[in-house]
Amino acid sequence: MAELRTNQPGTTAAEKPIIVLAGSTGDLGRLIAKYLLARGAVVRALVRKGNTKPEVQALRELGASVVEVDFNSVIELTQVCAGAVCVVSALSGLRDVIFDTQKRLLDAAVVAGVPRFIPSDYSIDYTKLANGSNRNLDLRREFNQRLDQAPITATSVLNGMFTDLLTGQAPVVLFSLKRVMYYGDADQPMDFTTTDNTAEFTAAAALDPTTPRYLRVAGEVATIRGVQKAASEATGQQFGLLRVGGVWVLGAMIKATKALMPPSDDVFPPWQGMQYMHNMFTGLPKLQPLDNARYPDIRWTPIREVLATRK
C-alpha cells in the first residue's frame, strides 16, 4: 500500500480531520475531494492498484493523498481507514461494487474504528420505492440494509436527479424540438441538484459529526412546467410541452426495452434511465423534508443556469 501523505506543506494529518474517499476518480468523487480539501480536510483518495488515469494525477494536484489499494482486501482497506473521521463512498457499479465492494469498505471502517460512513446513494428517495422498480436503487437499498446493522453511524445523501443530465443525457429537454417531454402530470414536483452542489453538500456532511441517517437536498424543486420555463429563459426561445402519455406508458416501454435488449453488465443501459424517470414522474420518491439550509454557505444552482451552459 502506498505511503499515506497529506500533500499539505506545513501540516500533519493529526491537525486536520481525515476523510477516506472511495470512487474519487469519478466526476462526483473528484468534486467531493475538492470540497473536502477546501473545508480543511485531509483526503485519502482510494484508487485501484496500477491506476494511471489522468484523474489520479488530477487528485494529487488538488492536494489529495492518493492511496493505491486492493479493494478486495479488507486488511488493506482497514489500514487506510485508520484515523479517519468518516469514510465516504462515491463508487459506481452493479452488485459487485455497490454491495460487495462497499461491504468490504464498511467492514474495514468498523474494524478501524471510523465513527461515520456515507454510502454511494446520491439519488431520489429509494426508501419509498418498491423492489423491482429500479435495479440500481434496489442495490443501494440492499447495501443500506446491511449498513444499518453495522456498529457505525451512517448518513445517506439524497439529491433527486443530477440537474446536469437535463443538458442532453436525460431525454427531457429536447433542444432541437424546443419541447420538454414528459409522462403523466406536468405539475408533479420533482427534485434536481447539480453534481457540484451534491458534492459540496456531501463534503460538508462528511465533516459534520451530527448528521442524521438521511439528508435530503434539492438544488431546485420543479415541475415539468417549471423545467419548460427554465429552458425558455435559458435559451431565449419559447419551449413547449410534449406529453407522450401516462406514466403507465413509460412503464410499458421499460418492460419492452428490457425484453428486447440482450443481457449486459452496463451500469446505465437505456432502460435504467427510463426507470429513474418513471420513478420521478410517479412522485413517489419526492424528497421531504429538505435539508438545504443545514449548511447556509452553499449556493444552490437553479435549473435555468444549468441549461444556459449547453452549447
Side-chain angles (χ1 to χ4, degrees):
M1 186 175 67
E3 178 186 1
L4 303 183
R5 350 181 231 121
T6 66
N7 287 343
Q8 299 290 328
T11 65
T12 66
E15 296 171 335
K16 295 184 174 185
I18 299 170
I19 305 294
V20 171
L21 176 60
S24 56
T25 58
D27 290 341
L28 178 62
R30 177 181 53 80
L31 287 169
I32 293 173
K34 183 185 80 169
Y35 283 114
L36 282 169
L37 290 162
R39 288 178 178 268
V42 171
V43 178
R44 291 180 186 164
L46 308 188
V47 301
R48 298 189 183 279
K49 291 185 175 181
N51 190 332
T52 58
K53 293 181 179 178
E55 291 83 357
V56 176
Q57 181 57 33
L59 285 166
R60 292 194 177 98
E61 291 172 0
L62 279 176
S65 177
V66 175
V67 183
E68 293 190 359
V69 66
D70 179 359
F71 280 90
N72 291 315
S73 171
V74 175
I75 294 175
E76 285 196 24
L77 290 170
T78 301
Q79 291 172 344
V80 79
C81 285
V85 299
C86 184
V87 170
V88 178
S89 173
L91 293 168
S92 177
L94 297 180
R95 194 178 195 283
D96 62 321
V97 175
I98 297 302
F99 188 86
D100 296 338
T101 300
Q102 281 200 124
K103 182 180 180 299
R104 287 189 291 270
L105 188 62
L106 171 62
D107 291 344
V110 170
V111 173
V114 180
R116 300 174 59 245
F117 192 100
I118 296 179
S120 185
D121 286 349
Y122 317 112
S123 63
I124 51 182
D125 193 345
Y126 58 82
T127 68
K128 299 178 179 179
L129 298 173
N131 268 325
S133 70
N134 188 307
R135 179 198 62 182
N136 289 7
L137 297 185
D138 287 347
L139 295 172
R140 282 157 174 78
R141 183 188 298 104
E142 182 183 2
F143 173 73
N144 275 276
Q145 289 170 348
R146 172 65 182 84
L147 177 57
D148 285 338
Q149 298 171 4
I152 194 170
T153 298
T155 295
S156 290
V157 176
L158 304 178
N159 58 273
M161 175 181 173
F162 288 126
T163 317
D164 319 63
L165 298 178
L166 292 176
T167 59
Q169 191 170 341
V172 176
V173 182
L174 308 178
F175 290 91
S176 60
L177 299 178
K178 297 189 176 44
R179 293 287 185 274
V180 175
M181 185 179 71
Y182 72 103
Y183 298 81
D185 185 359
D187 295 310
Q188 170 61 53
M190 297 178 289
D191 303 300
F192 300 90
T193 311
T194 63
T195 307
D196 193 86
N197 277 161
T198 302
E200 187 175 8
F201 188 88
T202 301
L207 294 169
D208 176 2
T210 67
T211 53
R213 179 64 181 86
Y214 291 97
L215 285 170
R216 302 171 177 87
V217 294
E220 183 173 348
V221 178
T223 65
I224 283 295
R225 295 189 200 280
V227 175
Q228 174 196 15
K229 183 174 183 289
S232 299
E233 292 176 349
T235 62
Q237 299 174 312
Q238 185 59 43
F239 274 64
L241 296 180
L242 177 60
R243 185 179 189 272
V244 181
V247 177
W248 68 269
V249 174
L250 181 55
M253 292 172 60
I254 293 168
K255 290 181 180 178
T257 303
K258 289 182 70 175
L260 293 172
M261 288 189 65
S264 76
D265 294 330
D266 188 356
V267 179
F268 297 107
W271 53 264
Q272 172 61 42
M274 294 164 69
Q275 282 188 333
Y276 207 90
M277 294 310 306
H278 181 275
N279 294 151
M280 292 186 69
F281 286 136
T282 67
L284 292 174
K286 177 74 184 69
L287 302 173
Q288 55 185 357
L290 294 178
D291 298 293
N292 286 37
R294 188 177 183 90
Y295 309 114
D297 57 316
I298 297 177
R299 176 191 175 273
W300 300 96
T301 306
I303 293 171
R304 174 182 48 78
E305 286 188 16
V306 174
L307 296 182
T309 64
R310 187 180 187 275
K311 305 301 182 184

